[in-house]
């Protein structure tokens, strides 16, 4: 998979390729990575990439010309790698919120060109001409799109075959089935007076799997009930549906 970053601060992405899962995946050539600084595509001595907004107002707006030239360079880079289709994504608080389902879809792309904005934003005409979609990582504002781009990349890279030490890890993560993950424990068996649940010590694989499924449902019910509303009941096992009905009955009883 090919990632191309349009960014004024390419050095920020060193951490991604130097550390952790994303670093190991890069060393294993599971993905390719390149940065394109819009300043390198300017014609004036000051390498100007921004301008005052028409209509007045505070701050500066990123200009379309250097950004479009940088995107063209990213597309060319992809073609040199044999890519036939690229998607341009602008990291923006105005975009659709990133979800695990969307991450799984993006992981199937040949090339992602991630556009990292700065200042007050980007000339709207550039977005109309070049951007396929806008993505947000949450309802808040960052200083620029670089951190958001790294979040997107990290979420995608860990899904690439061979990125994780255990192929089942990604399948059991929170949101992988629309639910939050179950609680996890390790040694010691008792810590600060708190013991590991007996179900995890039973050695009964079926019982452990059942406990984890129920805990995932319970945690989602308690912390993110909105997620349960999005799940098709047909995607839950009969046992999960039964457990969910018991939670609803218990809640109804407490409300009386």
């Amino acid at each position: 998979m090919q990632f191309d970053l349009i960014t004024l601060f390419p050095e920020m992405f060193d951490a991604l390729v130097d550390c952790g899962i994303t670093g190991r995946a890069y060393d294993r050539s599971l993905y390719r990575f390149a940065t394109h600084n819009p300043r390198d595509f300017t014609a004036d001595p000051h390498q100007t990439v921004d301008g005052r907004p028409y209509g007045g107002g505070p701050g500066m707006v990123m200009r379309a010309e250097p950004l479009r030239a940088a995107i063209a360079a990213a597309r060319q880079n992809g073609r040199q790698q044999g890519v036939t289709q690229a998607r341009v994504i602008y990291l923006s608080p105005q975009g659709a919120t990133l979800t695990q389902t969307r991450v799984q879809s993006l992981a199937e792309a040949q090339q992602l060109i991630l556009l990292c904005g700065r200042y007050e934003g980007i000339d709207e005409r550039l977005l109309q001409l070049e951007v396929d979609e806008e993505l947000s990582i949450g309802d808040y504002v960052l200083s620029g799109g670089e951190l958001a781009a790294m979040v997107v990349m990290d979420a995608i890279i860990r899904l690439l075959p061979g990125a994780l030490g255990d192929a089942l890890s990604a399948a059991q993560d929170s949101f992988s089935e629309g639910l939050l993950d179950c609680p996890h424990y390790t040694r010691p068996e008792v810590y600060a007076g708190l013991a590991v649940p007996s179900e995890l010590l039973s050695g009964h694989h079926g019982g452990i799997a059942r406990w984890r499924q129920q805990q995932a449902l319970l945690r989602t019910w308690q912390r993110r009930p909105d997620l349960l509303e999005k799940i098709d009941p047909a995607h839950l096992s009969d046992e999960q549906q039964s457990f969910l009905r018991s939670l609803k009955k218990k809640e109804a009883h407490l409300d009386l």
Side-chain angles (χ1 to χ4, degrees):
M1 185 173 188
Q2 174 74 32
F3 291 98
D4 285 82
L5 284 299
I6 312 299
T7 172
L8 295 175
F9 300 96
E11 64 276 9
M12 290 183 66
F13 292 90
D14 290 346
L16 196 75
V17 297
D18 287 345
C19 304
I21 291 171
T22 55
R24 292 193 295 272
Y26 181 74
D27 292 339
R28 296 170 186 164
S29 300
L30 300 185
Y31 69 95
R32 298 182 298 272
F33 169 81
T35 59
H36 310 270
N37 192 330
R39 295 194 188 281
D40 296 333
F41 300 90
T42 56
D44 66 295
H46 300 291
Q47 295 184 303
T48 305
V49 295
D50 58 344
R52 292 285 183 187
Y54 279 114
M60 305 290 279
V61 176
M62 296 189 75
R63 297 175 57 188
E65 304 98 313
L67 289 174
R68 196 174 194 189
I71 291 172
R75 292 186 188 277
Q76 177 61 25
N77 183 50
R79 286 192 288 270
Q80 291 174 348
Q81 304 292 339
V83 171
T84 58
Q85 191 173 30
R87 292 193 64 78
V88 180
I89 297 176
Y90 174 41
L91 286 309
S92 163
Q94 299 181 27
T97 303
L98 185 70
T99 64
Q100 188 64 22
T101 299
R102 190 72 192 108
V103 169
Q104 291 167 345
S105 175
L106 292 173
E108 299 175 0
Q110 292 181 315
Q111 180 188 18
L112 293 179
I113 300 174
L114 303 180
L115 177 56
C116 305
R118 283 273 160 176
Y119 312 121
E120 292 299 314
I122 288 175
D123 191 307
E124 185 68 19
R125 293 165 296 186
L126 185 281
L127 303 182
Q128 294 174 0
L129 291 168
E130 294 289 348
V131 171
D132 295 306
E133 61 184 299
E134 298 184 35
L135 279 181
S136 168
I137 62 169
D139 294 336
Y140 47 88
V141 180
L142 299 172
S143 299
E146 284 79 10
L147 291 175
M150 283 189 268
V151 168
V152 172
M153 291 179 65
D154 184 283
I156 292 172
I157 291 167
R158 64 192 316 281
L159 295 183
L160 299 179
L164 299 179
D166 188 336
L168 293 177
S169 293
Q172 295 178 352
D173 282 339
S174 288
F175 308 112
S176 60
E177 294 183 349
L179 301 173
L180 299 182
D181 200 2
C182 65
H184 296 281
Y185 299 85
T186 187
R187 291 176 172 79
E189 188 174 322
V190 178
Y191 174 72
L194 300 174
V196 174
S198 59
E199 291 86 350
L200 297 178
L201 304 175
S202 67
H204 188 279
H205 297 301
I208 292 172
R210 187 178 307 109
W211 181 88
R212 285 174 171 164
Q213 289 177 351
Q214 292 178 349
Q215 289 298 308
L217 275 170
L218 177 61
R219 180 159 287 189
T220 306
W221 176 264
Q222 292 172 333
R223 302 184 182 186
R224 290 292 305 277
D226 58 297
L227 294 176
L228 291 174
E229 297 174 1
K230 302 175 183 178
I231 296 178
D232 184 345
H235 293 164
L236 298 176
S237 67
D238 291 342
E239 191 170 6
Q240 287 176 309
Q241 293 184 44
S242 176
F243 183 73
L244 190 56
R245 285 194 295 269
S246 71
L247 292 177
K248 292 179 179 179
K249 288 182 181 178
K250 184 180 296 185
E251 182 183 58
H253 178 73
L254 292 175
D255 288 341
L256 294 177

